[in-house]
Amino acid sequence: MPQEAELLYSLKGKKIWVTGHGGMVGKALLRRLANEDCEVLTATRGEVDLRRQADVEAWMEKNRPHAVILAAATVGGILANDSRPAEFIYDNLAIEANVIQAAWKTDVEKLLFLGSACIYPKMAPQPMAEDSLLTGPLEETNQWYAIAKIAGIKLCQAYRKQYGCDFISAQPINLYGPADNFDLASSHVVPALLRKAHEAKKNGEPTLPVWGSGKAMREFLYVDDLADALVFLLQRYSDPLQVNIGTGEELSIRELAETIVRAVGLKAELDFDTGKPDGAPRKLLDSTLIAEMGWTAKTPLAEGLARTYEWFLEHHKSG
Ligand code: GFB
């Protein structure tokens, strides 16, 4: 294991604004930051709508965070991305532009922007390294979201170049974990299959519906590992290049469905619906850069899935 990169930014005594604190990533960040000697700031959508520039500027002027983690975003699974393109591009562009501009205006010392692995070209060589950004066409189903996330990375680079701001960005591979979105119309594959498997077991159904061919390859990162990586980067990274965060392990959607079926204790056949899109054929990040700085993911998929299912059982009692 490489030696940990040197501490560049201490969080001690700092006010850190976690945007998107109500979401799965934001909640994991609050859990992780509770171990640091810092003050965490949060704001509800009622207090500040991040899509409104005047709201964001007024809130930042008043609260003056030292650091900002930009985890707020309009997100969703493959179908939500494909069917709500305007929301995915507009909301995310507006949120990023407003928060980054206000962070510069209020002299924020450090900002971390959260991108997404879908920024890389559909046919990028696998595993996808940071330098494959903008080398080819995007996957069609989530190009709207990807363009917004690429713009966020470019905003950080531009403010660093023109104004010398210490704004960095990172992109995780597909995430899952407690407080994920379990709504079948907008969720990602892990919560969708956990819920569907749970319901199939409860109703004694002989099959489990799985979208697409099952051949698409994916890599999954447990959200508490992501939060740990983000805090690590906040403290130890200060460069324009966006940093990949993954586990280095991939599996097919079929294998994922089989793992979930076992985790839930369901006895059913998988029923693939090829009328639904597969999306990108393969998404595996090259996470060498962060590994060389001394950070690696800790939670094995089986353990992360078990904890996520536990959370689901606890919070969807009628489910
Ligand atoms: O997780 P998911 O929606 O995101 O889908 P993407 C991953 C794969 O799982 C696709 C299949 O091949 C789906 O067809 N799948 C199988 C299912 N059953 C289901 C199901 O019941 N629900 C869902 N949702 N998928 C998203 C992007 O792409 O990844 C976002 O659209 C974002 O922009 C996110 O980047 C991380 O990996 O295909």
Side-chain angles (χ1 to χ4, degrees):
M1 174 106 173
Q3 214 185 343
E4 246 181 32
E6 98 185 83
L7 183 70
L8 301 175
Y9 185 74
S10 167
L11 304 183
K12 196 169 163 39
K14 297 287 164 75
K15 285 199 275 185
I16 303 176
W17 184 22
V18 176
T19 70
H21 71 282
M24 171 174 72
V25 172
K27 285 181 170 148
L29 278 166
L30 299 195
R31 288 194 287 276
R32 174 62 186 80
L33 287 169
N35 303 329
E36 300 292 326
D37 187 8
C38 63
E39 182 189 348
V40 176
L41 306 183
T42 58
T44 63
R45 192 172 298 189
E47 288 168 284
V48 49
D49 183 339
L50 299 176
R51 292 165 301 184
R52 292 175 182 272
Q53 189 177 23
D55 281 20
V56 176
E57 288 187 355
W59 194 89
M60 296 274 279
E61 273 296 340
K62 186 164 169 241
N63 293 279
R64 292 271 166 180
H66 297 103
V68 176
I69 304 181
L70 224 176
T74 289
V75 298
I78 193 164
L79 203 62
N81 270 266
D82 206 22
S83 51
R84 292 161 39 208
E87 280 172 64
F88 276 79
I89 194 163
Y90 172 78
D91 287 3
N92 290 308
L93 283 173
I95 292 168
E96 294 153 21
N98 293 340
V99 175
I100 290 171
Q101 166 79 358
W104 163 60
K105 277 184 143 179
T106 56
D107 301 316
V108 163
E109 297 166 350
K110 186 110 196 178
L111 177 142
L112 197 173
F113 169 70
L114 199 58
S116 161
C118 69
I119 58 169
Y120 293 118
K122 178 175 186 171
M123 292 308 180
Q126 305 280 331
M128 302 179 288
E130 284 85 358
D131 63 6
S132 64
L133 186 68
L134 294 172
T135 55
L138 298 164
E139 152 62 26
E140 296 77 10
T141 50
N142 56 32
Q143 57 179 313
W144 325 97
Y145 180 70
I147 289 283
K149 289 292 183 183
I150 293 170
I153 292 167
K154 291 293 165 192
L155 278 163
C156 290
Q157 292 173 349
Y159 280 69
R160 171 179 289 273
K161 185 174 154 111
Q162 186 173 346
Y163 305 128
C165 298
D166 191 359
F167 295 174
I168 58 172
S169 50
Q171 48 289 319
I173 196 62
N174 290 28
L175 299 168
Y176 71 101
D180 207 339
N181 168 19
F182 284 83
D183 166 50
L184 295 181
S186 57
S187 65
H188 289 96
V189 62
V190 169
L193 290 183
L194 276 172
R195 180 180 195 146
K196 288 197 277 193
H198 173 77
E199 286 170 2
K201 184 180 169 191
K202 200 175 72 178
N203 302 327
E205 283 157 16
T207 57
L208 175 71
V210 181
W211 294 355
S213 66
K215 292 185 183 136
M217 301 294 291
R218 292 288 184 275
E219 176 188 8
F220 297 97
L221 178 67
Y222 187 61
V223 73
D224 285 277
D225 283 350
L226 171 72
D228 190 54
L230 295 179
V231 171
F232 178 90
L233 291 173
L234 204 58
Q235 294 169 318
R236 297 169 196 279
Y237 186 74
S238 177
D239 271 310
L241 189 65
Q242 78 287 350
V243 183
N244 288 344
I245 311 172
T247 63
E249 284 170 28
E250 65 177 338
L251 74 172
S252 67
I253 295 300
R254 173 189 285 276
E255 288 165 326
L256 173 74
E258 288 166 353
T259 310
I260 286 180
V261 160
R262 279 195 300 277
V264 170
L266 168 71
K267 290 188 177 37
E269 294 289 311
L270 303 181
D271 180 18
F272 292 97
D273 175 359
T274 49
K276 292 279 197 312
D278 270 345
R282 194 175 171 204
K283 264 200 281 182
L284 176 66
L285 285 181
D286 180 342
S287 302
T288 309
L289 180 58
I290 194 166
E292 283 174 349
M293 286 185 252
W295 186 90
T296 46
K298 288 172 196 63
T299 314
L301 183 64
E303 188 182 323
L305 287 175
R307 283 196 224 154
T308 308
Y309 186 42
E310 215 172 280
W311 186 93
F312 172 77
L313 292 175
E314 183 62 23
H315 291 81
H316 290 72
K317 293 223 163 71
S318 57

